[in-house]
Structures are given as structure tokens and as C-alpha cells.
């Protein structure tokens, strides 16, 4: 997702506010794991949000879990490599994840046409920043149309870091096309 406004919720763009140097704020955000965790936000990405943002990719289902049997029979941690089609050129400020509940053809998600969904159904946002930059800066990652590589980690049961219900996810955007460059 491209959104300068959204990035301002996590960092000080450029590390400065007028003449005040606030790079230490961005350094602390990195220390607190802003680049390695999905954070739930409800209202900001709903259909009635005034936040300016642009999707660079269409939503894609990357993990399926049967909550009737979860977590029985699943490993404590799973890792997957994924490819996501980037449909628009731009600057990646964040990876956005969301979940849906379905039973046969019926589906309930953040996109449901019920007003309460926008207010209560979270989107999960994980900040993305260029690697090997000043720790006081969280610079967005330029992208072009094509395939982006993601690493998905799913934790269950005792492997979970937070107390959230259900599986816990971490996404990492990988630079390049498998040429060994650093993860973002």
C-alpha cells in the first residue's frame, strides 16, 4: 500500500518536523519492532475512511485455517514463500493484511457492506522501509509492476508472541527476484 498519511502514524517522514530533528523517534520505532509486526487498525482503511491511500496490489488469500480444528495438528511455526502481483508502480509504505470468515458461499470480512464492519473489523498494517538506510529514517520502498516476493510466518500455540486469539502472522517483503539481496 502506498500512503504517506499512513506512514505518518508510524514515523516522522524525513526524520524532521520543521527544524526539529526527530530521527530518534524513528529509531525507537525500529527498536519496538514496527518493521516486524502486524498492528491492527480498524477505521483508517474502511470504506468511509478519509485516509488517502492507494492499493498497489489486489488482495490475495495467503493462508487458510479451519477454526473448528485449530490449532490441533499444526506445527508451532510455519514459513511460506509467496508471490504477489504488483499492479501499480509506486512507493510501498506498508503491507496490509486482513482476514475473512466464511462458511460455504457466505463470507464476512472487512469488505462486508455493513457499516459496523468499517468500525470494528481490523486491517493489520506492517510498516515497510528500505534496508540499509539511516536508522532515523523509515523510507518507503519503490516498486514497479511485476511480482513481489513475500515471506509469511505463521505462529500457533506456544510459539505465539502476543496474546491475540487465533494464528499470529508476520510478513516480510523481499527485495529483488531471489538474487540474495536483503529483506525489507
Amino acid at each position: 500500500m502506498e500512503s504517506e498519511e499512513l506512514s505518518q502514524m508510524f514515523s516522522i517522514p524525513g526524520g524532521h518536523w520543521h527544524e526539529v530533528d526527530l530521527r530518534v523517534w524513528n529509531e525507537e520505532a525500529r527498536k519496538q519492532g514496527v518493521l516486524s509486526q502486524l498492528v491492527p487498525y480498524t477505521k483508517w482503511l474502511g470504506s468511509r475512511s478519509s485516509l488517502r491511500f492507494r492499493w498497489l496490489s489486489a488482495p490475495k488469500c495467503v493462508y487458510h485455517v479451519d477454526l473448528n480444528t485449530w490449532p490441533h495438528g499444526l506445527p508451532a511455526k510455519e514459513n511460506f514463500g509467496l508471490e504477489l502481483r504488483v499492479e501499480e508502480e509506486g512507493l510501498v509504505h506498508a503491507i496490509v493484511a486482513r482476514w475473512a470468515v466464511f462458511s460455504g458461499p457466505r463470507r464476512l470480512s472487512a469488505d462486508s457492506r455493513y457499516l459496523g464492519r468499517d468500525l470494528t473489523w481490523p486491517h493489520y498494517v506492517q510498516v515497510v522501509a528500505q534496508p540499509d538506510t539511516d536508522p532515523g529514517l523509515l523510507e518507503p520502498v519503490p516498486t514497479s509492476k511485476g511480482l513481489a516476493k513475500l515471506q509469511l510466518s505463521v505462529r500457533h500455540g506456544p510459539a505465539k508472541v502476543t496474546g491475540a486469539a487465533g494464528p499470529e502472522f508476520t510478513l516480510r517483503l523481499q527485495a529483488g527476484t531471489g538474487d540474495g539481496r536483503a529483506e525489507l
Side-chain angles (χ1 to χ4, degrees), residues 1-168:
M1 169 186 283
E2 180 178 82
S3 177
E4 181 72 27
E5 289 182 1
L6 180 68
S7 72
Q8 292 172 7
M9 296 168 64
F10 297 98
S11 68
I12 308 296
H16 289 83
W17 178 70
H18 298 288
E19 66 279 348
V20 181
D21 184 346
L22 294 171
R23 287 178 293 179
V24 68
W25 178 274
N26 294 340
E27 290 173 16
E28 187 60 26
R30 283 182 189 258
K31 287 179 192 172
Q32 295 300 320
V34 73
L35 298 175
S36 62
Q37 61 189 354
L38 288 164
V39 178
Y41 286 93
T42 51
K43 299 175 276 209
W44 293 290
L45 299 173
S47 63
R48 291 163 182 81
S49 173
S50 62
L51 182 78
R52 289 182 300 215
F53 62 89
R54 185 168 68 108
W55 297 108
L56 301 175
S57 297
K60 176 182 178 179
C61 182
V62 297
Y63 192 79
H64 179 270
V65 63
D66 183 344
L67 294 176
N68 292 315
T69 60
W70 180 85
H72 305 293
L74 294 173
K77 185 174 182 181
E78 301 175 86
N79 292 304
F80 303 94
L82 307 168
E83 287 188 341
L84 182 66
R85 178 153 307 280
V86 177
E87 297 168 352
E88 298 288 333
E89 197 171 281
L91 295 174
V92 180
H93 290 95
I95 298 171
V96 178
R98 56 189 177 184
W99 59 279
V101 176
F102 53 91
S103 176
R106 296 183 318 198
R107 176 183 171 96
L108 185 62
S109 72
D111 291 333
S112 298
R113 298 216 179 265
Y114 167 59
L115 173 61
R117 288 296 138 239
D118 280 355
L119 301 175
T120 61
W121 202 280
H123 285 79
Y124 295 85
V125 177
Q126 186 169 320
V127 177
V128 174
Q130 287 190 46
D132 304 323
T133 58
D134 181 330
L137 300 175
L138 296 177
E139 297 294 330
V141 177
T143 191
S144 55
K145 292 180 181 181
L147 293 178
K149 294 183 181 290
L150 297 169
Q151 179 69 35
L152 170 66
S153 295
V154 184
R155 293 182 294 277
H156 307 281
K160 290 174 41 174
V161 178
T162 69
E168 200 173 82

